[in-house]
Structure formats: C-alpha cells, structure tokens
Amino acid sequence: MKGRLIVFCLACVAFLVSSVNSVKAESPNDILIVANKGVSAGSLSLDELKAFFFKERTSWKTGGRVVPIHANEDSALRKAFLSKVLSMRLAQEKAFWQEQKIRKGMAAPPEFSNTLKAVFKIKGALSYIFRKDYREGVAKILLVLPN
Amino acid sequence: MYMFLDGIQSERRTSMKFYYSVRSCPYLVAAILLTCPSVAAAQQTDIEASADAGAEQVEPDADRDAEMEALKERVKQLEARDATREDQFAELKTAQEELADEQEMAGFEEGMEDASEQVFNIYGFFDLTLLKTFFDKGSPYTAFIPEKSSFGMSNFNVYLSSKMTETLSALGELRFSFLPLGRTDAYEYEGIPPEGIPAQGMYGNEYDRVETWVTDPFSTQFYRQGGVSIERIHLTYAPADWFQIIAGRYITPSGIWNIDHGSPVVLPVRLPWMQIRELVPLAQLGVQVAGRFFPTDQLFFDYAITVSNGRGPIESVQDLDENKGVGLKLKLSYSGDRVRFAVGGYGYYGRYTDSKKVVRVFGLSPDADPDKPLQFEIVDTSVYDEFAGATDLLIEAFGFRLQSEYAVRYEYIVVPAPLDADEAIFAGASPLDTLYEASSMGHDVYVLLAYELPLHKWISPVRITPYVMYEYGEVNDTMPYVNMDQFIGGVNVKPSPFVVLKAEGMMAVSGTDLYGSNLYVISAQMAVSF
C-alpha cells in the first residue's frame, strides 16, 4: 500500500513537471502582445487587453493614449487573436463595431498587414504577432499567449 | 608477382580515385569521414590486410605510405577550410538579416505616416417598416397611427465622424426624413362651420395635412422636399479615460435605449413609450463632462455631468430663460468573460420656458413710455420646472439579455399654457373649451428579455434572437389618454453584420376607455447599417 502511494506521488510529480515544461515550451505560433517601445507599461492583463480592443479603455495606466491595432481580417493571426482574447468570430466582431458606430460613433481599431511594423512606428500602439514573426528589439512584449 | 603488381596498381587506382574524389568534393569526403568512420576503418583494415597478405612476398611500399599520409593531411586541410567557410557563411547570414531589419525599419518610416493623419468616416443606417394595426373602427387611435397597412421609413441617419488628433474628435448624426409630408395640422370637427367660431378663438375648421410639393423653376420639375433633423453634432476632447469634454448637441447619456437608439442596434421594432413621450430629454444642447474610472480590470465606473439649454420650444436654437438644465449620470459596469452587467442612473433638473415678444409703440400702446417710444417686451406664455430621474439595468450572460429601464418625471407648472383643441377633446372637453396644463407626475418602466439562439456553429454569421417585452407606462397622471401598457413579442434575425430583420406583434392597453378596444399591431422591419 505504501509503495503504491509512493508510485502515485511520483507519477503526480512527473505529470506536474511535464505540464510545467509544456507550458514553458515556446511555440512559433504563440501570440505575443506587443506595444510601441515608448510605452512605459511593463505588462498587461488579459482583461485590460480586451478592454483596449473593445475601446472600453483608451489610456495606458502609466499615461498616454492606447492605439489598438488589428491584423488584417483575413489573416490567421487575426482569427487566432479573436478566438483567444476576444472570444468571438470575425462576423461577431464586425457586428459589434457596426453597433458601436451607431451607439457612440466609435470606429473599429485600424488594420495593418504587418502589425509589428505598425507598433514600431505608432506612438502608444498595441497589437499582436505570432512569435515566429517577432523581431527582437522592434517592440515591447507585454503578454505572451501560448499556442 | 604480376598479381602483386596488379594489386598495387589496383590499390593505387583506388587511391587515385579517392584522391580525385577528395579534390573534387571535399564536403563529400568530410561527410563520409564524419558519418561513416566504420567504412574508413574497414578500408584501412583492408589495406592492412592486403599489406599483410603481401608482406609474405614483398617489403612494405614507402611511397604508398607517404601518399596515404599526404592524403590524410589534405583531408585535414579541407576540413579546416570547410569549417572556416561555415563561419564565414554564418557571419554573412547575420549581416544579411541585420541589413533586412534596417531596410524594414526604413520602410516603417515611409509606410506608417498615414496612421497619425486625420481620419474621416461617413456611415449610417436606415430602415423600412411594414405595419398593420387592428383597433375599433372610429377609435381615437386613428389620430396617431395608420389605420391601413403601410410601409414606412422612419430613419435614414447619416453619421459624419472625424478624428482630428489623438484627443480631438467630432461626431455628427443627421436624420433625413420625408416629413413633414403628411403631418396632420388640423382635424375637421363636425358641427362647427368651416370658418370656425372666431368669437371663441377657433379660426377655421378644415382638415389640414402638410403637403411638400415644390417646383424647380429651372426644369419645372415637381418634387417633394423632405426634412433634416440634427440628432447630434459635437466636439469631443478626451485627453484621458477619466476626463472628456463634449460640446455641442449630444445625446443625453441616460439609460440604454437612448444611447443605442438606432434601428439596427435595438432588438424590437417599437420604441418604448418612455422614449416616445420623452420622460427624460433625448438630446441636449450644451456641454457635457464625462469620464470613466477602473476600480478593477473588469469593473468600470462612468460619470457624466450635463449642462444645457434644457427643454424648450426652440432649445436647439436658443434658451428662452436663464435657467440651465443640469444632469448627473453615474454607472457601474462589469465586463467578464461570459457575463456583462451594468447598472446606472441619470438625474435631470431644468426649466421649460416659452414666451412671445410684444412690441409697444408710443401712440399705439396705452402702456408705452414717451421717453422710450419703441419697446420690445418678452412675455412668458408657458413655464414649468421639471425633475426627471432614470435608472437602467443590463445583464448579459450565456446568450441571455435582460434589459430594464425606469423613468420618473415631475412637472411643476409655473405659467400654465392653454391646451390646444386636439388635447382638449382627449381630456373630454369641447374643442371650443379653453383648458390649461396642470402640474403632473409620470413614470414608466419596461423589461426586455431576449435570448440569442446558440446556432452559430451551424448558421454563422446568422444570429437569431427571440424577445419579449413588457412596459408599464403612466407617463402623465393628468392625461390618462397618453398612458399605455405594452406587451411585445418578436424575433430579431441578423443574417449579416449589416442587415437586421425583425418580426413583431404588440398589444397595447390604454389607460382610458376612450379608445374602445385594445390596440394590436403586427410589424416587420428591415434595418440596414452601412
């Protein structure tokens, strides 16, 4: 009985270690949430990120305006971001912004084919990119969403 | 001997082939040496075995050994050169990547400039509604709504929005309409002569409906003019989430329906009675200070302070008194992963003033002052103070939407205005009687429950949302004929983000027996945003 318990505990530890390793493992399809290097914020919560992309929140906690930037709507990156962060499909997002335009005159975030370029250039910009497309030093990583 | 010589020559040929192979393909040699040491070892063993076999007959060949040593030395040199080339190749690759990055950076400078430029948008919405009403023949409902089935277009709203800078933006919403075409200006009362009874203040008795035909003098073509209403036009200065200033004509930041207001956004076809009777002013002209705080990442606290001309007969042009309408909005919202919740309130106080301008000319007016032979005096004809409050609740969870608003309004009459003939008859009087407004109290509440069917896996992007709504409306306790309870049920279908189709049935129960039976309305609507 004692031996079985020890085996069970070891199995649990092995499972946990393997889980931690799998979480830490980097994948080229991880989504990196990146901001312009001039942004002084060092990190971002998922709720803040959602609020920025729904324009419920428009300023960084550390000051300055946030400019959320989407990838092109037909890109795999945009679909992955919508699914993982905003929990909606493209059609739902379109409908949301159609309604927001009528309610409050609010427009959807602008789209760029190369979000990293846009983040590099635009002051206060916030966007996302697959890890495989990231270039060191071009933007600041605020959050990593594992694949 | 010959055999030995043949063996030597054969070995030499093999060595020479190997040598030439080494010369022609150093990578191949390196690969073979690295990946197949056993082959090389075997080859060496064969050579040694061959030498051992021959040793019984001849002495070891010194030239051959030297040649083998030279070959080995040559292989080492080639391996060293290969390693150097790999290092050089890696350095070149790094340099190329750095150059590509630099070129990309340079491209950013040119490509991204547009992002900070002024953004101007034009968009809007319109709707087409088919309506059929059912009520007793001859009922006073005939005065307000079409008796025959009819198509109608109530909304054609065009938005003009501009974001001039990071913190400065402007928004305009224009509502185009075929109105005032068809508006009834006067009814014809049986028993009263066409010229009316001037002695009793009634001039004329003919049915009058607005006609808007005009003629183009250039082409002589006839066409009907329409109307334009400025729903809102304002500048917004928003330096931070917690502080923004809105100046111009703005939509009152009260409730849910008033902010949603567009037919592609709201679920039902019919507006709530509280919106139609405007318990709270729908829009105001003035200044608004608003903002949002974040107690947590998922919790938002909104505030807004409004100062405006308030309500008035011409409040969008000018205020006819010094008393400004003031309001305060407070709202708390929670935005979770699958649950959204908001509760808010708006309070408003203002004074309504209507007036006329009376001219006093010396010699004509008995009250005129000879020292001031020409005077204009403003005389108030209708004044009341109003206090209005509204609360709203919205819960969205797992496809369900529960929306409710309550509004209350108290109107205190300071200078009573006379009711017009149409209002007098609904109050149970003769059109010739002169009645006056009285202080009043009104309140209204509606509850809307909707559920978006979970069919998106099969019919996405189509969204189907059935809904039911109940409204209790006692909007004026001195005018029971404007009070009404509504029961509404329908379905809202969005086949695309830009088109909404609605089908709805409604039953209204009046606050008075004046209307006879209940009112039943079936309607279908197509609302389009563009």
Side-chain angles (χ1 to χ4, degrees), chain B residues 169-494:
Chain B
S169 62
L171 176 67
E173 182 182 352
L174 303 175
R175 182 177 182 176
F176 294 86
S177 172
F178 298 114
L179 295 172
L181 175 67
R183 190 177 82 102
T184 297
D185 273 352
Y187 298 103
E188 186 174 302
Y189 293 95
E190 282 189 356
I192 295 178
E195 66 275 15
I197 307 176
Q200 292 183 272
M202 187 175 185
Y203 301 90
N205 181 31
E206 285 187 7
Y207 178 68
D208 188 16
R209 187 177 60 204
V210 174
E211 183 53 77
T212 59
W213 283 114
V214 292
T215 311
D216 181 344
F218 185 74
S219 66
T220 69
Q221 187 182 23
F222 286 89
Y223 66 94
R224 281 189 166 120
Q225 281 189 323
V228 181
S229 163
I230 301 174
E231 297 278 294
R232 58 177 149 182
I233 174 69
H234 56 75
L235 176 76
T236 301
Y237 171 62
D241 281 323
W242 58 270
F243 180 77
Q244 60 178 324
I245 300 174
I246 298 167
R249 181 170 173 82
Y250 51 82
I251 287 185
T252 301
S254 169
I256 301 165
W257 210 292
N258 196 45
I259 302 227
D260 288 357
H261 84 274
S263 50
V265 176
V266 297
L267 284 169
V269 177
R270 306 275 309 168
L271 297 177
W273 201 226
M274 71 166 65
Q275 284 287 112
I276 294 169
R277 302 302 302 186
E278 297 192 29
L279 289 182
V280 175
L282 303 186
Q284 299 175 52
L285 185 74
V287 178
Q288 180 186 159
V289 176
R292 170 172 282 185
F293 293 94
F294 303 91
T296 71
D297 286 347
Q298 293 180 307
L299 211 56
F300 312 142
F301 176 72
D302 294 288
Y303 76 93
I305 300 164
T306 58
V307 180
S308 70
N309 282 347
R311 229 191 281 252
I314 55 170
E315 87 281 358
S316 56
V317 176
Q318 70 174 95
D319 197 351
L320 296 179
D321 61 42
E322 290 293 348
N323 193 324
K324 296 293 165 262
V326 291
L328 173 66
K329 170 200 172 177
L330 299 172
K331 186 166 192 170
L332 191 67
S333 311
Y334 168 81
S335 180
D337 286 338
R338 301 197 66 182
V339 177
R340 291 167 65 86
F341 169 88
V343 59
Y346 178 73
Y348 170 85
Y349 163 74
R351 166 167 283 199
Y352 174 99
T353 301
D354 196 0
S355 60
K356 61 183 179 182
K357 292 176 180 173
V358 177
V359 183
R360 286 188 185 141
V361 180
F362 181 68
L364 186 63
S365 169
D367 297 330
D369 184 347
D371 295 333
K372 297 176 181 174
L374 178 62
Q375 282 188 296
F376 284 73
E377 187 181 358
I378 295 173
V379 178
D380 289 343
T381 55
S382 173
V383 178
Y384 64 79
D385 289 330
E386 65 172 324
F387 305 86
T391 58
D392 57 271
L393 171 73
L394 177 67
I395 300 172
E396 289 179 309
F398 307 102
F400 284 97
R401 179 186 178 93
L402 176 66
Q403 175 180 327
S404 182
E405 291 184 60
Y406 172 78
V408 60
R409 177 171 178 263
Y410 175 64
E411 183 179 309
Y412 175 75
I413 301 292
V414 179
V415 177
L419 300 180
D420 60 30
D422 303 337
E423 290 174 318
I425 57 171
F426 277 98
S430 160
L432 302 173
D433 292 340
T434 302
L435 303 181
Y436 289 89
E437 290 177 319
S439 295
S440 65
M441 181 91 175
H443 61 132
D444 187 301
V445 61
Y446 78 81
V447 180
L448 170 70
L449 180 64
Y451 177 63
E452 183 179 335
L453 300 179
L455 302 173
H456 54 81
K457 283 181 185 172
W458 299 280
I459 57 172
S460 181
V462 180
R463 297 162 67 190
I464 301 175
T465 309
Y467 58 87
V468 290
M469 179 173 152
Y470 168 70
E471 181 175 23
Y472 169 80
E474 189 183 322
V475 295
N476 190 318
D477 59 357
T478 65
M479 298 180 180
Y481 61 90
V482 298
N483 298 330
M484 187 184 286
D485 291 357
Q486 291 191 97
F487 301 85
I488 294 175
V491 62
N492 179 303
V493 180
K494 290 187 177 177

Side-chain angles (χ1 to χ4, degrees), chain A residues 11-27 30 131 146-147:
Chain A
C12 288
V13 170
F15 174 74
L16 285 173
V17 169
S18 66
S19 302
V20 169
N21 283 338
S22 66
V23 167
K24 283 183 176 174
E26 290 184 355
S27 162
D30 290 345
R131 186 188 290 278
N147 181 29

Side-chain angles (χ1 to χ4, degrees), chain B residues 21-158:
Chain B
S21 300
V22 166
R23 285 194 64 149
S24 62
C25 187
Y27 297 106
L28 181 63
V29 172
I32 290 169
L33 286 174
L34 287 170
T35 57
C36 304
S38 58
V39 174
Q43 194 177 20
Q44 185 65 27
T45 309
D46 290 345
I47 292 168
E48 285 169 3
S50 174
D52 289 343
E56 294 174 3
Q57 300 169 19
V58 294
E59 291 297 315
D61 189 338
D63 291 343
R64 190 189 62 188
D65 291 346
E67 194 175 353
M68 283 300 294
E69 284 303 316
L71 282 171
K72 284 179 183 173
E73 188 60 30
R74 180 65 180 159
V75 168
K76 280 181 185 173
Q77 286 173 359
L78 289 170
E79 283 176 344
R81 193 180 70 180
D82 202 28
T84 308
R85 282 182 178 171
E86 278 180 8
D87 289 343
Q88 287 174 342
F89 181 69
E91 282 174 15
L92 280 171
K93 194 176 176 183
T94 308
Q96 188 190 20
E97 282 176 356
E98 284 174 359
L99 186 64
D101 279 345
E102 283 174 15
Q103 285 175 340
E104 206 168 34
M105 305 293 182
F108 294 177
E109 299 293 334
E110 295 168 5
M112 295 296 125
E113 292 298 333
D114 291 345
S116 58
E117 287 182 0
Q118 183 176 349
V119 179
F120 180 71
N121 285 313
I122 301 179
Y123 57 93
F125 68 90
F126 68 89
D127 54 54
L128 171 69
T129 307
L130 173 62
L131 195 76
K132 174 62 184 165
T133 58
F134 303 91
F135 51 82
D136 281 355
K137 189 172 174 61
S139 165
Y141 281 126
T142 311
F144 307 115
I145 48 181
E147 189 183 11
K148 314 292 184 191
S149 62
S150 176
F151 287 101
M153 295 187 80
S154 297
N155 297 287
F156 171 32
N157 291 30
V158 175

